[in-house]
Amino acid sequence: MVRQFSITVDNGVSIPMRDGVRLIADIYRPAKPGTWPVILQRTPYGRIMPSSFAIRAAGAGYVVVIQDTRGRWDSEGTFHAFPNEQRDGFDTCAWICSQPWSNERIGMFGASYVGLTQWQAALAGAPGLQAIVPNVTAADYHEGWTYQGGAFELSFNKSWTMTWLASDTARRLVAADPSQQAKLDALYDRTDAMEDDFAQMPLAGDPLLAELAPYYDEWLAHPDHGPLWDRIKVDGNYGQLDQAVLHCGAWYDIFLGGTLLNFQEMQKGAKTATAQANQRLLIGPWDHMTIGNATPVGTYDPGVRSWHATIDFDGIHLRFYDRHLRDLDNGLDGEDPVRIFVMGENRWRSEMEWPLARTLYVDYFLHSHGAANTLHGDGTLSPEEPGFGERPDHYIYDPLNPVPTAGGALCCNEAKSNGGVEDQRHVEARSDVLCYTTAPLAQPTEITGPITVTLFAATSAVDTDWTAKLVDVCPCGCVRNLTDGIIRARYRQGTSRQVLLTPGEIYEYTIDLWATSMRFPAGHQIRLEISSSNFPRFDRNPNTGGDIATATREECVVAFQTVHHTPEYPSRITLPMIHD
């Protein structure tokens, strides 16, 4: 897209909120009189970060407003993650509509929490807001953001809070009182060695975070889905939304489940038929921090630099705004609404819907002779239903020696990889990891869509966790993770209430692995890992049935775990198979 206009930039513009707090923004405008559609970003991460997109969009005939959210950087007030964004988003859009350069048609853009600010403004009914492009963000800020399957997303929550949130609060504290410098220094020291913070027990009650980010303990104090979370979630409120939405996500993103859910539910249940028709989905081969970039994702290089896979991410945004903020007939309406990157084949593909209508859901059952432990065990995976003679598999889960996280949907720990693909062989060498593997595939096999594991299992504890991971086993032996999930046993009946277990009793569990898109080449194998920890991606379950946030190392209980696979207890993974 060629620049059409010279631009002017107004820095440090003060925007009043209804309570008198003033939020600061930079405004990029075409250097020509007139009224223009406006693209807004409300960010807690510093308004300078998206300036390259702002310059491009302003040159294309948009006014771009980039605002520091309440209590962040140059804006007044106190930052508290989540609760102020509806009100402040509404007030900011109302202010934009009153400006002489605005034609009262507003879009929004940005990723992660900046995607959250878009959804919150939409939920508030912000005036003029007609099109949003939320990237790698959630549908629910309990399930799929702070918790997943009832487990606390420790690595993300703590590294995000310390590295991206508390640091600016500490900086503002020092600016007001230089004698507080020690707190900022302590925070920086700890973010350089996050492993020590992840290992900390109890999870709650950290004095430094209690001062700099009190909302962190608030999240830990509300592990059940309830009123704290309901007032801000998108899921369940689609009927009040009428925005056109370009939903952008990544196969290795921490919020992939929410991105897919938002697209599906807006297509079915947005306020108007027009809004339902104006939903688009883009899922690429990225993780949370690399969305839209032509970079490897962990050890996987999807080839997005090649001619068939290059993507102009900002240009896709602008084309979407041109259609929905300018009413340009640019051909977008005639295109398939879904665009996904198929890993393995390493190509973009357009589809009419998500999940794909031609999907054949196939159950692959767990099998063994009772020794599926490690990658060298006897666990197999096949469409054949289990027989009566199959013995269950056992392992010991020790909360003080959890299975380590290796790649996957991670974010925000700057000292480590942000996620993506890692070889899983060192994880699968552990006796507390069960491995169930198909025979080598006779032909290329595509799995694209939602994936669930149905597990029949028992434990010696009153509460525990069950984890599952889908991996690709290469003929050379390397093992590449695709997607994973977890269920905290006390939440097996839903995350709104806790129901403990009877030790030794067999229960049915559903583990949501969200989704992936992978074309396995012939000769590869599909493997399912089952265990009880994935640490520090998720907090460890101490197996006591008590308050996990306040549990100490001394309180942890070792659990004896049993996984069943018989005709009565057919443990399985349901795979979305795609045939050409």
Side-chain angles (χ1 to χ4, degrees), residues 408-476:
L410 303 176
C411 177
C412 309
N413 180 6
E414 299 302 313
K416 294 288 184 180
S417 167
N418 280 319
V421 177
E422 275 197 30
D423 196 316
Q424 303 296 304
R425 281 178 285 187
H426 67 287
V427 172
E428 295 178 350
R430 294 174 57 111
S431 62
D432 54 357
V433 178
L434 305 179
C435 297
Y436 303 92
T437 312
T438 67
L441 298 171
Q443 58 189 17
T445 301
E446 181 180 331
I447 293 174
T448 294
I451 299 167
T452 58
V453 168
T454 303
L455 191 71
F456 291 91
T459 177
S460 62
V462 296
D463 184 41
T464 196
D465 289 347
W466 303 101
T467 64
K469 185 187 301 175
L470 180 68
V471 301
D472 169 25
V473 183
C474 308
C476 67

Side-chain angles (χ1 to χ4, degrees), residues 189-229:
D189 288 343
R190 287 173 57 179
T191 56
D192 287 338
M194 290 295 295
E195 291 85 353
D196 293 338
D197 264 275
F198 297 148
Q200 179 180 306
M201 291 184 76
L203 298 177
D206 183 311
L208 189 60
L209 286 184
E211 179 175 359
L212 299 177
Y215 38 84
Y216 184 80
D217 275 357
E218 182 180 53
W219 302 337
L220 285 165
H222 292 83
D224 299 354
H225 210 314
L228 176 74
W229 308 102

Side-chain angles (χ1 to χ4, degrees), residues 252-453:
Y252 290 96
D253 178 42
I254 50 175
F255 304 141
L256 173 64
T259 297
L260 296 171
L261 181 63
N262 283 334
F263 170 73
Q264 290 175 255
E265 295 303 315
M266 283 292 286
Q267 270 203 326
K268 292 188 298 184
K271 186 176 182 179
T272 65
T274 298
Q276 292 170 19
N278 287 335
Q279 305 299 308
R280 305 191 71 82
L281 177 67
L282 173 71
I283 307 290
W286 309 298
D287 63 17
H288 192 74
M289 301 297 288
T290 63
I291 184 168
N293 295 322
T295 56
V297 185
T299 61
Y300 167 54
D301 187 345
V304 292
R305 288 178 288 265
S306 61
W307 69 269
H308 57 73
T310 300
I311 188 168
D312 178 5
F313 201 57
D314 290 347
I316 290 171
H317 282 54
L318 290 173
R319 186 167 179 243
F320 183 77
Y321 296 132
D322 282 347
R323 173 65 189 90
H324 296 291
L325 298 181
R326 284 183 164 148
D327 301 322
L328 294 183
D329 185 6
N330 56 11
L332 191 64
D333 289 351
E335 297 176 3
D336 293 342
V338 176
R339 191 179 185 193
I340 60 173
F341 190 89
V342 182
M343 298 182 292
E345 189 175 22
N346 292 350
R347 287 184 180 272
W348 290 99
R349 191 171 72 206
S350 295
E351 297 287 350
M352 284 298 296
E353 70 285 307
W354 180 269
L356 279 56
R358 65 184 185 278
T359 305
L360 178 64
Y361 293 95
V362 180
D363 289 333
Y364 274 67
F365 296 91
L366 281 58
H367 303 273
S368 81
H369 298 293
N373 313 73
T374 82
L375 73 168
H376 303 298
D378 66 2
T380 62
L381 194 65
S382 79
E384 181 183 351
E385 296 186 13
F388 287 100
E390 296 196 25
R391 296 196 299 272
D393 293 298
H394 307 283
Y395 62 92
I396 298 294
Y397 163 49
D398 181 355
L400 299 184
N401 183 27
V403 175
T405 297
L410 303 176
C411 177
C412 309
N413 180 6
E414 299 302 313
K416 294 288 184 180
S417 167
N418 280 319
V421 177
E422 275 197 30
D423 196 316
Q424 303 296 304
R425 281 178 285 187
H426 67 287
V427 172
E428 295 178 350
R430 294 174 57 111
S431 62
D432 54 357
V433 178
L434 305 179
C435 297
Y436 303 92
T437 312
T438 67
L441 298 171
Q443 58 189 17
T445 301
E446 181 180 331
I447 293 174
T448 294
I451 299 167
T452 58
V453 168

Side-chain angles (χ1 to χ4, degrees), residues 395 403 432 453 455 465-469 484-487 511 513 528-534 538:
Y395 62 92
V403 175
D432 54 357
V453 168
L455 191 71
D465 289 347
W466 303 101
T467 64
K469 185 187 301 175
D484 58 60
I486 190 169
I487 185 68
I511 308 175
L513 273 63
L528 174 66
E529 298 175 13
I530 298 293
S531 190
S532 291
S533 50
N534 183 352
F538 304 109

Side-chain angles (χ1 to χ4, degrees), residues 512-572:
D512 187 354
L513 273 63
W514 289 355
T516 193
S517 181
M518 173 69 187
R519 187 174 178 86
F520 294 82
H524 283 229
Q525 295 168 277
I526 301 171
R527 176 176 292 161
L528 174 66
E529 298 175 13
I530 298 293
S531 190
S532 291
S533 50
N534 183 352
F535 181 83
R537 169 154 156 66
F538 304 109
D539 67 326
R540 49 190 154 192
N541 194 325
N543 297 329
T544 65
D547 180 18
I548 292 179
T550 58
T552 66
R553 298 177 69 87
E554 292 73 23
E555 295 170 347
C556 290
V557 174
V558 173
F560 182 73
Q561 315 289 64
T562 302
V563 172
H564 294 266
H565 38 84
T566 65
E568 184 179 6
Y569 302 116
S571 294
R572 60 197 181 272

